[in-house]
Amino acid sequence: MGALGYLGLILLGPVGLVFYRTFEHGLAAAWNSVTTPDAQHAFWLTVELVAISVPLNTIFGIAAATAIVRHRFPGRRLFDSLLDLPFAVSPVVVGLAIVLVYGRKGWFGTWLADHGIQVIFSVPGMVLATIFVSLPFVVREVIPVLREIGTEQEEAATTLGASPFTTFRRITLPAIRWGVVYGVVLTTARALGEFGAVSVVSGHVAGQTETLTLHVQDRFEAFDLTGAYAASVVLALLAIATLASMTLLRRRGAPA
Amino acid sequence: MSIEVTAVRKTFGDFVAVDGVTFAVRDGSLTALLGPSGSGKSTLLRLIAGLEAPDAGRVVIGGADRTDTPARNRDVGFVFQHYAPFKHMTVRDNVGFGLRIRKVPRDRIRARVAELLELVHLEGYADRYPSQLSGGQRQRMALARALAVEPRVLLLDEPFGALDATVRKELRAWLRRLHDEVHVTTIFVTHDQEEAMEVAEQIVVMNEGRIEQIGTPRDVYERPASEFVMGFVGPVTRVGDAAVRPHDLDVRTTPAAGAVEAMIERVVHLGFEVRLELVTGDGLPISAQITRQAAEELELRNGQIVYVRPNRLLRAVA
């Protein structure tokens, strides 16, 4: 009961209030707020960031987890600890670091500028920031699962004539799939909701470099509360959709 | 196919798992690698399969040097100690796995899987998942899966190790019969000397990464090549300077030439046999095992003085 009350106080209450405030002035007002050009652009930019960073981090996560669990190489422990850096470092610092490296006066700034590539205050920088902050989730979910399944099934496949790729696709991947799915859900949620790092590198140009979270802030500061709440609800719905799709997959995937 | 292992060595860090091992098994034979845990027998099996690479030495299978052949091209069937079932696949898909990746046509896979499931007595289980099988059934599934690709040799790592006693006994006899049917050269690893004796034609006894003795079950039991083998393959007792199996002792109630005088401390009834726990005048213990009938005829009881004489000595050096 206590846990439920806590959950209600911390989670359900505030989120419920956001939903309530959104539709306070009717469905039409909320609908109009989320269909402004800036809101639509923010929506699609957020989807774009997720669509780029989640697959990349999933592939990287599986590869990194496999390397850490199944192989011995110098610097393995260091590599393992470095993967937690995005959890440890504040997102704002991550954003600043990206500016320092890729900004006009950064390490690659001149080279990038000479080649007409703009990273900071532009979408590439936001992609980098999103990838960075959502990097560890898949690795951290997959590592324990890989450890648990052990190597016997993979070895069995090998003695039956399977190539490393076949073994990975037909044995390892199905065995770790729930770890991967869970990691993907967490990565997606983080990529959707990232504010700090993206905020630093984006430049906040409405209709150009504004994600949904930045749009919420933008509307809030412009005293457009309905707009802010409505965009929040869109974010919440995206997150809920992600969770729901995992639950659906899970049910379909049973047994095993 | 015959298997020849020559001067194979394998270390893990400072630990020498296999220390210069040489032995051969002939085509179609059934061999046991017997030894205590840590003796290197499982590592040796993995070296033959190609799951480990030796630091030195050669592995020749069917006359061809396979030392540098990757495991997947060795045509070796391997049954893991815990069977390594593919948990997300049905029994049918498990057994058909090797054929599927060889792109064998579907209908042929189906027919072959059905045939194998019949061989291992799992006919009705094709659509089950491994989690729905008992330990013995999983083991037989793993065996069918290994046999599906018609391996040239079959390697089994502690095939009965994880099963309970009754299932174990059944499966031993069954493996023996299966080998007579399939006739694939087979090596299995075990730490159970009774299992090795019952199933194998040839036993390779290992200890601390080396081979102690190679021979028939009778050889290693009756003519152990070392103290270690003597003690590992069966019970040993000492009468004076001689090492002897407890059932190779004559027990009588009257003195005889070469017999040692001892007092009965305890008579233990083991069913068909009776074990006598004796102690000599010097306080040295002797263990003797005689039939129940013999014990009854001698009317043995605790505290009685008897005379024991070895009727068959072990050749081992003391």
Side-chain angles (χ1 to χ4, degrees), chain B residues 18 33 44 62 107 139-140 147 168 204 229 235 287:
Chain B
V18 176
L33 289 180
L44 183 55
D107 48 334
Q139 206 242 17
R140 299 200 311 262
L147 290 172
R168 253 176 122 120
V204 177
V229 177
S287 172

Side-chain angles (χ1 to χ4, degrees), chain A residues 127-170:
Chain A
V127 169
L128 280 175
T130 307
I131 288 177
F132 192 94
V133 297
S134 63
L135 182 93
F137 292 101
V138 173
V139 197
R140 287 287 166 246
E141 290 304 320
V142 170
I143 281 178
V145 186
L146 263 182
R147 288 228 165 92
E148 198 206 309
I149 60 166
T151 53
E152 274 205 347
Q153 292 185 57
E154 292 164 9
E155 287 181 341
T158 305
T159 60
L160 290 167
S163 66
F165 178 72
T166 306
T167 304
F168 176 77
R169 194 170 64 86
R170 307 192 95 142

